[in-house]
Amino acid sequence: MLATRVEHETGPRWPYARQMVARSVTIIGPGAIGAAVGASLIDSGHDVSFASRTPFEVLDVTHPDGRVLQEIDCVSDPAAATISDTVMLAVKAHHTEAARPFLDAIVHAGTTLFVLQNGVEHIERLAPLVPAGVDIVPVVIALPAVRSAPGVVRTERQGLLSVPNSLGGKLLEELFVDSFIVAEAVDDWITAAWRKLLTNAASGGIGTLSRSDNRVLAADPDGRQLTLELMLEVAMVARAEGADLPDELAELMLDGLLENAGRHVASIVADRLAGAPTEWDARNAVINRIASRHGIDVPINKMITTLIRLGEPIEDGAP
Ligand SMILES: NC(=O)c1ccc[n+]([C@@H]2O[C@H](COP(=O)([O-])OP(=O)(O)OC[C@H]3O[C@@H](n4cnc5c(N)ncnc54)[C@H](OP(=O)(O)O)[C@@H]3O)[C@@H](O)[C@H]2O)c1
């Protein structure tokens, strides 16, 4: 067994180092996010196992404070998986249904299931797939992470996971102690989720179609204007859902996003560049669905959704 190498600055990295109760956690879908989250949990002292389509034996995560390198348990056959009280699902939204054999094998009534996916429909997506009695906890992820091979992930920023302020949310807060990811239970999770969706739908959607990152949008006045108009559309829908997202905030968020435009390529853009299916439904089509329930017109988002969908790989539903 490789020794766990946790290389980081000396001394507490977070101002509020807390007492930690070690738990067993199972992560289904250890890609960029699942592997980074798993490494952070290992860093915090938990016992973490993995279930994935493509198995791997060594987790190698480079993060802002150092690196976690450890041999891990990873099953690729649902028949070899065991039930768990604490589960994190981090497959892409469009792979949720395909991950059902793992959910069937690992999740039971009484499991707390954290859904680490973009969008705002975590509960609607998972509720039909798991038994009654599962606490489904939606998670907003602010953690740019890139996977270069199975189990090999790099993240250059400290991560933040936002969850509703519930029993499950409090549990997530407690799981991440003194590591490079922090979890925060927030009173207004709807606003947190729609803020994330605002940028996912706009810069992610336009980036997918133009095959560009935010640096391109920042430099191009037409690209910036289109992104802003799309964000203002999404903000209208967000407010109808109860999010506190005034137009001025959308503009400020766009300014912040473009000013800080780094080299990170959004996961949906990376998937399009790789010719893989994208999360167009969870990140753009969802806004059309919710807008229509509220009688709100979102013509730009409808057009962006259709154009992304038309570019999907044939086997994943393109006409
Ligand atoms: N990456 C980011 O920077 C980032 C940031 C914020 C939010 N997010 C969101 O986080 C979520 C996860 O994204 P990601 O970037 O981590 O995705 P990813 O790198 O593609 O990882 C997905 C993982 O799920 C596995 N998987 C796929 N189908 C499966 C199945 N049927 N059963 C079991 N495992 C399966 C994949 O296995 P394979 O090894 O076979 O592919 C892979 O390990 C998405 O909703 C994304 O939008 C991502």
Side-chain angles (χ1 to χ4, degrees):
M1 166 83 87
L2 275 174
T4 305
R5 282 218 321 260
V6 181
E7 303 158 6
H8 54 68
E9 295 162 0
T10 53
R13 283 158 290 162
W14 305 102
Y16 48 89
R18 291 162 282 164
Q19 290 296 312
M20 192 273 302
V21 177
R23 278 188 177 258
S24 293
V25 181
T26 304
I27 297 182
I28 304 174
I33 294 302
V37 163
S40 180
L41 291 169
I42 289 169
D43 200 10
S44 292
H46 299 288
D47 176 17
V48 185
S49 55
F50 299 88
S52 188
R53 189 169 61 176
T54 308
F56 55 93
E57 292 172 355
V58 177
L59 186 70
D60 183 355
V61 175
T62 305
H63 58 82
D65 298 338
R67 184 180 182 197
V68 173
L69 181 67
Q70 178 166 319
E71 280 185 7
I72 48 110
D73 288 326
C74 180
V75 294
S76 58
D77 177 2
T82 51
I83 63 166
S84 173
D85 292 340
T86 310
V87 177
M88 301 197 181
L89 178 74
V91 300
K92 292 257 167 65
H94 52 273
H95 289 144
T96 305
E97 185 80 42
R100 184 163 191 172
F102 282 120
L103 291 167
D104 288 346
I106 295 168
V107 170
H108 64 98
T111 295
T112 305
L113 174 62
F114 297 101
V115 184
L116 287 87
Q117 291 177 335
N118 272 322
V120 291
E121 290 182 320
H122 309 63
I123 294 177
E124 292 88 331
R125 194 176 304 122
L126 268 301
L129 305 181
V130 296
V134 174
D135 184 11
I136 304 170
V137 183
V139 184
V140 176
I141 312 152
L143 172 66
V146 175
R147 176 172 65 150
S148 53
V152 184
V153 168
R154 170 176 286 274
T155 174
E156 284 168 5
R157 292 225 305 266
Q158 291 165 348
L160 177 66
L161 306 178
S162 303
V163 272
N165 196 354
S166 61
L167 268 182
K170 287 287 179 200
L171 170 61
L172 196 77
E173 266 191 348
E174 285 162 17
L175 284 172
F176 291 87
V177 176
D178 194 25
S179 186
F180 63 95
I181 294 176
V182 172
E184 182 184 43
V186 295
D187 290 331
D188 187 0
W189 186 83
I190 295 288
T191 296
W194 277 93
R195 281 184 74 145
K196 182 76 201 287
L197 189 58
L198 196 74
T199 52
N200 276 342
S203 71
I206 293 167
T208 302
L209 292 173
S210 58
R211 296 171 177 252
S212 63
D213 61 29
N214 290 341
R215 285 171 303 165
V216 176
L217 296 184
D220 185 290
D222 293 337
R224 186 191 187 286
Q225 183 60 26
L226 180 60
T227 311
L228 176 60
E229 286 171 18
L230 179 48
M231 284 175 97
L232 294 176
E233 265 188 20
V234 182
M236 266 193 299
V237 184
R239 287 194 293 273
E241 285 287 288
D244 182 13
L245 240 167
D247 284 350
E248 310 79 72
L249 183 59
E251 286 200 54
L252 283 174
M253 284 174 61
L254 178 61
D255 289 341
L257 187 73
L258 299 187
E259 269 161 30
N260 299 320
R263 295 200 155 269
H264 179 71
V265 175
S267 59
I268 188 169
V269 179
D271 281 339
R272 175 53 54 93
L273 292 174
T278 72
E279 283 186 313
W280 62 273
D281 185 78
R283 298 168 63 130
N284 288 90
V286 59
I287 294 158
N288 303 333
R289 282 194 286 280
I290 297 174
S292 103
R293 290 208 292 267
H294 292 287
I296 297 171
D297 200 18
V298 284
I300 302 173
N301 189 62
K302 276 189 176 163
M303 185 173 65
I304 298 279
T305 307
T306 302
L307 290 171
I308 300 175
R309 183 175 60 74
L310 290 173
E312 288 294 285
I314 297 294
E315 64 271 25
D316 272 82

